[in-house]
Amino acid sequence: MKTRAQAIRVLVHRFERALADTLFALLLLGCVVAAGWLVARHDRIWDWTQSESHRLTRESRAILERLEAPLRLTVFADPQTPLARMIGQLLERYAHEYPELEIRYLDPRRFPEQAREAEVSLQGQILLEYRGRRETLAEIGERSISAAIARLTRPRHAWVAIIEGHGERAIAGERDTDLGRLGRELLELGLIARPLDLATTSAVPDNTRLVVLSQPRLPPFPGEIEALIDFLDRGGHLLWLMDPGPPSGLEPLLEHLGLAALPGQVVDPEAERLGFGTTAVAVIDDYAPHPLTEGLTAPALLPGALAFETQVAPGWALATYLTSRAESWNETGTLSGPLTRDEVIGERAGPLPVVLALTRTLPESEREQRLVVVGDGDFLSNAQFGLQGNRALGLALLRWLSEGEDLPELPPPPTAAEPLELDERHRTLIGLGALVLLPGVFLIGGLGMRWSRWRGR
């Protein structure tokens, strides 16, 4: 009997390792199956990257919070193609943040009627539908999709009139001095920007909430300035982009608002040493606390800017103003050679006001009227719009002037990833870590396990 028990123990000891390995494999397989089942039923995503590159931006998440009904997205592409899968990866981020999002795929070759109805002409276009409103996108990206969602959530579109006809900056122009990039931003925000020639139209249309006026090359015709003043008297908002030099016939508007510009243009010798490339620039890097400047941090560059007095006409109030740096002044002479400030001829030391924000309360409606005068129009031009904080400042001015329109903040335009540059020291540390440190850790760990097992025998 004892011999039989000993034989059983020997047999069990012989198969003990095999039984343990088999049990471990079964348990591991059970855990993998259970984990797969949980992942399939309960999707959870964590983005641990510093830039949160695998998650929607803060701006997109804020736009999705505006939704109050289901949103339907139709992707016109064969769901089996790489293009559809790539689009699906982007749309899954929206579905993760907004569970009421419905996504479907239609191959335009199999469903030509639906594609024609949605005005689809390219593979991969997306049709968005929300509360009976729809919009078809040709450009696919987080910014374009979020901008379309924001436009669909707004009950109506506001009109923005851009004064043209006398050599002003064109809202649809592609020259460096034009405002084409700003016009595209207005369109994405849901604002309908249209050029307005007061020489052919006797008055600013009543459905216009905001007028953008830049410096004309030719003086306006009689009656055009009166039409602008009448627009202000009716409570309209105005963004006036001035430039150094004669006002070109806009003197009555300056007088009506009680504004006075300092002679010359703003220069900042420190700006060139800071890498801005020129001294003839007003650098705005100090944003006083105000709703207009909320969220602004990057310095804005106003090349060739005017400076202003802080006086305004009776009835108007100076809500806030933005200034150049303390090292600046209004240079009245030429910009060639070394620059020095001459106080005798009226060159004032900075900081100098270069952006004025005016308000007044309309007695008949008790609504606040807003007006912004900027001593430079170049900072919103195609050539300067993307520099430093120019874009952010321009959009902040538009949001403040569009009070009551609830304009969303859109995701920033996509930019190329910054290259990873390693110096010699970092390359040496990475090489030692990969070739010496990690193999050494694995070797020591293996030897330690081997020694522990040897002692346990």
Side-chain angles (χ1 to χ4, degrees), residues 35 44 198 366 380:
R44 293 292 183 270
L198 291 176
E366 297 186 356
L380 289 182

Side-chain angles (χ1 to χ4, degrees), residues 286-294 319-322:
D286 183 14
Y287 298 101
H290 189 270
L292 185 149
T293 59
E294 185 176 357
T320 188
Y321 59 89
L322 305 180

Side-chain angles (χ1 to χ4, degrees), residues 159-161 163 196 198 202-212 224-239 253 256 316 360 362 367 369-371:
W159 286 78
V160 178
I163 302 298
L196 176 64
L198 291 176
S202 59
V204 178
D206 292 334
N207 59 352
T208 302
R209 291 291 306 277
L210 172 62
V211 165
V212 178
E224 294 186 56
I225 300 302
E226 287 74 11
L228 279 176
I229 294 176
D230 176 68
F231 169 74
L232 293 178
D233 291 340
R234 287 187 278 127
H237 304 316
L238 174 67
L239 173 60
L253 186 58
H256 180 76
W316 289 94
R360 69 176 176 181
L362 302 174
R367 182 175 61 85
Q369 184 182 10
R370 298 180 176 183
L371 183 149

Side-chain angles (χ1 to χ4, degrees), residues 190-343:
L191 299 174
I192 302 176
R194 294 289 185 270
L196 176 64
D197 187 354
L198 291 176
T200 58
T201 304
S202 59
V204 178
D206 292 334
N207 59 352
T208 302
R209 291 291 306 277
L210 172 62
V211 165
V212 178
L213 172 65
S214 59
Q215 194 77 1
R217 295 181 181 179
L218 300 174
F221 295 127
E224 294 186 56
I225 300 302
E226 287 74 11
L228 279 176
I229 294 176
D230 176 68
F231 169 74
L232 293 178
D233 291 340
R234 287 187 278 127
H237 304 316
L238 174 67
L239 173 60
W240 188 359
L241 305 175
M242 298 184 66
D243 284 302
S248 300
L250 299 179
E251 292 87 351
L253 186 58
L254 276 171
E255 183 179 353
H256 180 76
L257 297 173
L259 301 177
L262 298 179
Q265 59 181 301
V266 178
V267 296
D268 187 346
E270 290 296 321
E272 189 171 23
R273 287 192 284 269
L274 293 174
F276 294 125
T278 179
T279 58
V281 57
V283 182
I284 302 176
D285 57 6
D286 183 14
Y287 298 101
H290 189 270
L292 185 149
T293 59
E294 185 176 357
L296 297 180
T297 56
L301 311 180
L302 278 62
L306 281 173
F308 300 99
E309 302 279 4
T310 55
Q311 64 190 33
V312 294
W316 289 94
L318 188 60
T320 188
Y321 59 89
L322 305 180
T323 64
S324 59
R325 301 171 72 247
E327 294 80 5
S328 65
W329 70 84
N330 59 310
E331 176 62 44
T332 59
T334 61
L335 301 180
S336 59
L339 297 178
T340 56
R341 184 174 69 88
D342 190 348
E343 188 175 354

Side-chain angles (χ1 to χ4, degrees), residues 52 55-63 65 142 409 411:
E52 293 188 337
R55 188 186 181 190
L56 291 181
T57 60
R58 171 185 57 83
E59 295 83 358
S60 293
R61 297 196 297 269
I63 289 174
E65 291 177 358
E142 180 181 340
E409 185 176 356

Side-chain angles (χ1 to χ4, degrees), residues 7-29:
I8 293 174
R9 282 198 297 272
V10 171
L11 184 63
V12 171
H13 181 71
R14 181 181 301 175
F15 291 100
E16 181 180 4
R17 182 60 182 271
L19 290 173
D21 290 345
T22 302
L23 181 61
F24 174 78
L26 291 174
L27 290 175
L28 179 61
L29 179 62

